[in-house]
Amino acid sequence: MSLDALKSAIPDYAKDLKLNLGSVIGNSDLPAQQLWGTVLATAIASRSPLVLRELAPEAKAHLSPEAYTAAKSAAAVMAMNNVFYRTRHLLSDHEYGTLRAGLRMNVIGNPGVDKVDFELWSFAVSAVNGCGMCLDSHEQVLRKAGVERDVIQEAFKIAAVVEAVGVTLEAEAVLAPLD
């Protein structure tokens, strides 16, 4: 399957998702590396085997080996960080925020690709995982690097659509035998 096959798997009741998937990927103004790194990182974060299986080969075809690895690294480190920092933020005892994290996240400092690209992918994964603290942190780094709001919004539009497609297709896989 490919992007087109993935779109065709989306049920009629979710036609908006089909159109949005084609739009956020096919009509994006993002450079190819930012676009496909965002697609890959959010496909991983979506936890949908179907979405990942279909989008990863296309992402791999559009990314250098270093960018492909970095996008996977962004998804991996943010899976950890989003849980850790979201939990710290949600706890009413703010003393946890004063404690040393003690978690390795060296890849953020040396991702193997342009730092802006890695930050954009980390931001998009944080959108899927719902970590406000990480969203704010990565958005600030991106804005300080001169990234415009429309570029940042493009990343969370991709995250929103990829996540929604994953949720819908996984639900269909469960519901289809019942219909």
Side-chain angles (χ1 to χ4, degrees):
M1 230 191 267
S2 64
L3 176 59
D4 289 333
L6 187 60
K7 288 191 308 189
S8 70
I10 297 171
D12 289 341
Y13 68 80
K15 181 180 179 183
D16 289 333
L17 294 182
K18 184 182 304 192
L19 296 171
N20 287 331
L21 185 62
S23 177
V24 299
I25 295 176
N27 299 331
S28 177
D29 290 331
L30 294 177
Q33 180 164 299
Q34 286 183 352
L35 170 65
W36 287 101
T38 303
V39 169
L40 178 60
T42 58
I44 293 168
S46 79
R47 296 172 181 84
S48 169
L50 177 60
V51 167
L52 183 57
R53 189 172 41 249
E54 303 313 326
L55 293 178
E58 289 204 37
K60 192 171 193 172
H62 288 89
L63 294 169
S64 68
E66 296 80 13
Y68 185 77
T69 297
K72 293 190 305 181
S73 296
V77 75
M78 295 318 296
M80 173 186 69
N81 284 357
N82 293 157
V83 170
F84 182 81
Y85 288 104
R86 184 177 58 236
T87 301
R88 247 191 192 182
H89 176 74
L90 292 172
L91 288 170
S92 59
D93 183 347
H94 297 288
E95 288 296 313
Y96 289 100
T98 67
L99 301 176
R100 184 176 165 277
L103 297 171
R104 291 193 181 271
M105 50 190 96
N106 294 332
V107 71
I108 293 173
N110 187 17
V113 294
D114 186 285
K115 182 116 169 90
V116 166
D117 293 352
F118 191 83
E119 286 290 332
L120 193 68
W121 304 337
S122 297
F123 174 85
V125 170
S126 297
V128 171
N129 292 332
C131 180
M133 195 170 186
C134 293
L135 284 167
D136 282 343
S137 175
H138 292 289
E139 190 265 349
Q140 288 171 15
V141 170
L142 288 164
R143 294 292 292 142
K144 284 179 185 167
V147 178
E148 297 294 328
R149 285 180 179 88
D150 60 335
V151 171
I152 295 168
Q153 180 171 288
E154 192 72 21
F156 66 83
K157 281 172 45 178
I158 292 167
V161 172
V162 168
E163 171 70 3
V165 168
V167 166
T168 301
L169 293 178
E170 295 302 316
E172 278 301 297
V174 172
L175 296 173
L178 305 175
D179 290 341

